[in-house]
Amino acid sequence: MDDVIIIGGSFAGLAAALQLGRARRKVTVLDTGLQRNRFAGRSHGLLGHDHKPPQEILTEARQQLARYPTIRLVNARADSVSGAIDDFSVLTGAGETLKARRLILSYGVADQMPEVPGFAESWGSSIVPCPYCDGFEFAGQHWGLIWSGPQSHNYVRLFLGWTDRLTVFADIHDIPSNIRADLARRNIPLFDGRIIEITRNEGHVSTIKLDTEANVTVDILFAHPRNKPSASLHEALRLATIDTPAGIAIKVDERRETSMPGIYAAGDLANPGMPSVTTALWQGAMAGISAQQSMLV
């Protein structure tokens, strides 16, 4: 029996494994290799790894974990979870049944691409979600923002720290008059109409085509599509969740423990705020440390 099974081996899961391996706990990490930021060319804002490809960072992390004999990395999907604290069972896609005293869920989320031609093909390159991840490289250039709800007004104010050239696309949203007035006061153009196509040009430049026959070209386009957990294990376990503007997040306490004793969660799956590699790492580390300390006798 393992001490801990970690379901999801991206940044949060590997950070948890590192803490547990250093505590000499027996750990199995299950991962399918489909981390959320695999579409990004570079990862930014991570101290010591700034401007590196995310896959390169993960490869180096797995190599570092190889020095810990109690950590096992397995390329497999977790199909189901059952049991309770000190006696969890995980059935993998390969038909193997694994046992553990604790579980850490870090299988992340998947972004739900709108059915707009060109959107999915541009995601992670010319269409991005996070100014902290990509804003510096495009500071002072022409930014576009696809409105996604009330939270977008805060993004407008946030973006102005990087650029004074911002265009907002209402898409299918009805933007209230007071927000329209604020955008006008800030000299921020607002285009109504539905986006019917996005064309990626040279570099990160995108042309947004609207059903009003208007075409607008920006240097970088920001969007915040809804996401959903990459697996449904938390539903089968009946874990408490939080409904956020972006999607569902697993509810955790300050130790990263979920509503079910012995199960912890970390990374985008349990982050109702602004996700990033940095937050995934500290949440994963905390989940690993908390799981370790919960097994003390």
Short mmCIF file of all heavy atoms in Angstrom, two decimals, residues 14 21 59 167 203 261:
data_model
loop_
_atom_site.label_atom_id
_atom_site.label_comp_id
_atom_site.label_asym_id
_atom_site.label_seq_id
_atom_site.Cartn_x
_atom_site.Cartn_y
_atom_site.Cartn_z
N LEU A 14 3.44 17.17 -9.00
CA LEU A 14 4.87 16.90 -8.81
C LEU A 14 5.42 17.64 -7.59
O LEU A 14 6.31 17.13 -6.89
CB LEU A 14 5.65 17.29 -10.06
CG LEU A 14 5.32 16.48 -11.33
CD1 LEU A 14 6.19 16.93 -12.48
CD2 LEU A 14 5.46 14.98 -11.10
N GLY A 21 8.25 12.67 -1.11
CA GLY A 21 9.44 11.87 -1.33
C GLY A 21 10.55 12.23 -0.37
O GLY A 21 11.28 11.36 0.13
N THR A 59 9.74 18.27 -17.50
CA THR A 59 10.71 17.20 -17.75
C THR A 59 11.85 17.26 -16.72
O THR A 59 12.25 16.23 -16.17
CB THR A 59 11.29 17.32 -19.17
OG1 THR A 59 10.23 17.15 -20.12
CG2 THR A 59 12.36 16.28 -19.41
N THR A 167 -8.82 47.22 -26.58
CA THR A 167 -10.13 47.17 -27.26
C THR A 167 -10.93 46.02 -26.66
O THR A 167 -10.40 44.92 -26.47
CB THR A 167 -9.96 46.96 -28.77
OG1 THR A 167 -9.29 48.09 -29.34
CG2 THR A 167 -11.33 46.79 -29.45
N GLY A 203 3.16 36.11 -36.16
CA GLY A 203 3.43 36.27 -34.74
C GLY A 203 2.19 36.02 -33.91
O GLY A 203 1.51 35.02 -34.08
N PRO A 261 -12.34 13.47 4.53
CA PRO A 261 -11.07 13.28 5.25
C PRO A 261 -10.10 12.40 4.47
O PRO A 261 -10.49 11.36 3.93
CB PRO A 261 -11.50 12.62 6.56
CG PRO A 261 -12.91 13.08 6.76
CD PRO A 261 -13.50 13.14 5.38
#
